[in-house]
Amino acid sequence: MKGPVLSFQGVTVRYEPGSAAILRALDLELAAGERVALLGLNGSGKTTLLKAAVGLLPHEGVILVCGETLGHSTLAGIRARVGFLFNQPEDQLLFPEVLDDVAFGLRRQGVPLAEARLRARAALAALGAEALAGQDVHQLSHGQKQRVALAGALATEPELLLLDEPSAALDPPGRERLAALLRGLDTGMLMATHDLAFAQACCTRMLVLEEGRLERRLL
Amino acid sequence: MRLAFGTSSGPAAQAMPSARLGALALLGTAVLVADASRLPGSLWVLALAGLWAWACGFPWRPLGTVVAAGAVTFLTFAATLATASWLGLGEANGLVQAWTMALKGTALAALAWATLRTFRPGALLRALDRLPGPLTPILTQITQQVLNLADESQRITQAWRLRGAAGRLHLGLLRAAPLVWLPRVAHRADRVAEAMELRGMPGHGLFRDSEPFGKREALLLAFALLGLTASALLRWGAR
């Protein structure tokens, strides 16, 4: 697509009306295919920014996702085009079996069950997690859950990826594999992370968020 | 007491998960319907619970624990009813009512526990997810999150022990427990709700592909249906 895949124009986010702003009149633009790391101290607003981008938090200002203005009427369509990784992966694993969870987004798009499962296996294989396909989500380690959640986000081939600490629970080979995989995608991607080495390995640009504002631009 | 998911392996445990849950529902109804105020009805309830426990491969020792737990749970209620009846304050057949309630409650607990022990957690969730009905996605999520919370509670307990809470009663710790645990539960519920919203749940039925329904499943359900019919006949056929 032409134009930015994600755009924040003077966006302010508060958890409660009248409370202190977590994001303050923030401007941000992410071009299609661009991979951007969002750095910042704990509590600087990284997760809030990602959640605001998919309408999980109320905002003032304008947010454009995949060319559409984020609002009540566009919310479902936008969410279907975005892959999202929560920083607590087990919260987003909603099915008892790994393969069903990864295939869920595809099934929502109307992909037939057999094909959805094939593509889900491929997404797991791309993350080195094909062996997890038949396992119970409940019995996975934290790192394995993170891979499964990532596979679910990638399986639908979204136009925009929003990843909250994607490398946090991965072992070094897993991090390298994920970095290589993300480098090979032509999907727009915004990633909140504290892992500088990982960010350098797979991102084309880095932004620093400080007290709800984008203060510095690296790279 | 540990639930010991997936440790039983009787003949019923080999049947497909939804057939086991279906049989449990039918047998539970049979126990509720049975007229346990008469000797044949009481014997029938005992026979149903015993047969199902055997079919599920429920070991005798935990079965004894269920019976003991059931007796303790219903003892207070039974004793109150019996005393009221003896003093002429309650209904004349208070003792019979107490017996009926204690027997049925214990039998239902035994049926449920015996069935749950035949499932690994994932298999139980899959079986729930594949049952028809509009509420099953919510039921599945509740069960899934209860299992996650059980894991989390175990981690909290381990951390407390490591930090010196083992060996003696720490009242301060006990007071703090709900303050630590309840907000965690509330936050988790919030986060799961966000994820469900974002991922477009409920997506009920998207994975409900056909499971092999064979002789074993047919026999199991026929047995349970027979149990329910016999209970109904014992109760209403005799009148």
Side-chain angles (χ1 to χ4, degrees):
Chain A
M1 67 170 279
K2 289 180 179 177
V5 73
L6 177 68
S7 173
F8 276 47
Q9 298 165 11
V11 172
T12 297
V13 174
R14 303 170 204 278
Y15 282 116
E16 303 288 339
S19 65
I22 310 297
L23 300 180
R24 292 183 289 160
L26 188 136
D27 293 312
L28 165 71
E29 204 154 279
L30 186 76
E34 193 181 18
R35 299 185 301 277
V36 176
L38 193 59
L39 309 171
L41 300 176
N42 296 130
S44 57
K46 302 187 295 294
T47 298
T48 301
L49 191 155
L50 295 182
K51 285 186 174 180
V54 283
L56 286 175
L57 295 171
H59 66 274
E60 299 156 29
V62 176
I63 299 177
L64 289 163
V65 186
C66 305
E68 289 192 84
T69 305
L70 187 69
H72 187 70
S73 59
T74 56
L75 200 54
I78 283 174
R79 285 175 175 172
R81 296 160 76 179
V82 176
F84 197 102
L85 178 75
F86 285 74
N87 63 5
Q88 303 272 356
E90 68 187 3
D91 293 338
Q92 75 185 91
L93 302 178
L94 304 173
F95 287 83
E97 196 175 318
V98 166
L99 198 61
D100 286 351
D101 199 278
V102 177
F104 173 66
L106 294 163
R107 291 290 287 137
R108 293 280 302 172
Q109 290 176 352
V111 177
L113 184 57
E115 189 191 334
R117 284 188 167 149
L118 267 179
R119 286 172 61 181
R121 275 186 195 281
L124 284 166
L127 289 160
E130 197 178 9
L132 303 179
Q135 291 196 26
D136 294 342
V137 163
H138 178 66
Q139 290 170 331
L140 303 180
S141 73
H142 188 60
Q144 287 172 326
K145 283 177 183 169
Q146 189 155 32
R147 285 181 199 218
V148 172
L150 266 166
L154 293 169
T156 53
E157 298 172 4
E159 290 171 46
L160 172 65
L161 269 173
L162 299 172
L163 309 175
D164 199 352
E165 300 284 358
S167 62
L170 298 183
D171 51 30
R175 271 207 298 272
E176 281 172 28
R177 188 188 277 266
L178 178 62
L181 178 70
L182 295 177
R183 274 198 307 270
L185 297 176
D186 59 357
T187 309
M189 185 183 80
L190 184 61
M191 170 208 301
T193 184
H194 292 289
D195 188 342
L196 270 174
F198 181 76
Q200 281 176 328
C202 60
C203 291
T204 50
R205 188 155 62 107
M206 293 198 225
L207 304 173
V208 180
L209 196 60
E210 274 183 23
E211 295 179 358
R213 290 180 191 277
L214 286 172
E215 294 290 345
R216 281 175 284 162
R217 287 159 170 78
L218 307 174
L219 281 183
Chain B
M1 287 197 300
R2 287 172 64 242
L3 189 56
F5 270 114
T7 53
S8 296
S9 55
Q14 315 302 319
M16 74 185 205
S18 39
R20 270 177 272 165
L21 286 182
L24 172 65
L26 287 170
L27 289 172
T29 313
V31 165
L32 288 172
V33 162
D35 181 6
S37 63
R38 296 159 190 253
L39 184 64
S42 290
L43 290 175
W44 179 239
V45 168
L46 284 172
L48 276 180
L51 269 171
W52 185 244
W54 169 81
C56 290
F58 199 17
W60 290 113
R61 187 176 287 183
L63 187 61
T65 313
V66 174
V67 172
V72 169
T73 307
F74 294 104
L75 199 61
T76 314
F77 184 71
T80 310
L81 276 180
T83 309
S85 172
W86 183 66
L87 292 172
L89 297 172
E91 291 180 30
N93 61 348
L95 195 59
V96 175
Q97 277 187 353
W99 162 251
T100 302
M101 185 154 287
L103 178 67
K104 287 188 176 182
T106 308
L108 285 173
L111 287 175
W113 200 356
T115 312
L116 287 178
R117 278 182 66 114
T118 66
F119 286 104
R120 284 167 57 220
L124 172 64
L125 287 163
R126 278 195 295 282
L128 286 173
D129 191 53
R130 282 166 182 156
L131 286 177
L135 291 178
T136 46
I138 295 164
L139 185 63
T140 310
Q141 277 317 301
I142 289 171
T143 312
Q144 181 142 329
Q145 295 314 321
V146 163
L147 291 171
N148 282 337
L149 281 174
D151 282 349
E152 198 159 313
S153 304
Q154 197 177 21
R155 287 197 294 272
I156 293 172
T157 312
Q158 285 168 347
W160 282 348
R161 283 190 186 142
L162 275 173
R163 297 182 71 188
R168 60 200 171 94
L169 195 64
H170 287 245
L171 288 177
L173 197 67
L174 282 176
R175 242 191 353 259
L179 299 177
V180 173
W181 200 80
L182 287 175
R184 280 201 192 200
V185 174
H187 283 133
R188 174 178 288 279
D190 265 355
R191 296 197 306 262
V192 171
E194 278 183 345
M196 287 177 75
E197 189 186 331
L198 194 60
R199 296 191 70 192
M201 286 288 277
H204 185 48
L206 291 177
F207 300 100
R208 205 188 296 151
D209 47 355
S210 57
E211 291 179 286
F213 189 90
K215 275 185 189 166
R216 193 184 294 272
E217 285 74 25
L219 270 174
L220 199 67
L221 290 172
F223 161 72
L225 201 59
L226 197 66
L228 178 57
T229 311
S231 282
L233 283 174
L234 277 172
R235 183 177 191 124
W236 291 295
R239 289 179 186 168

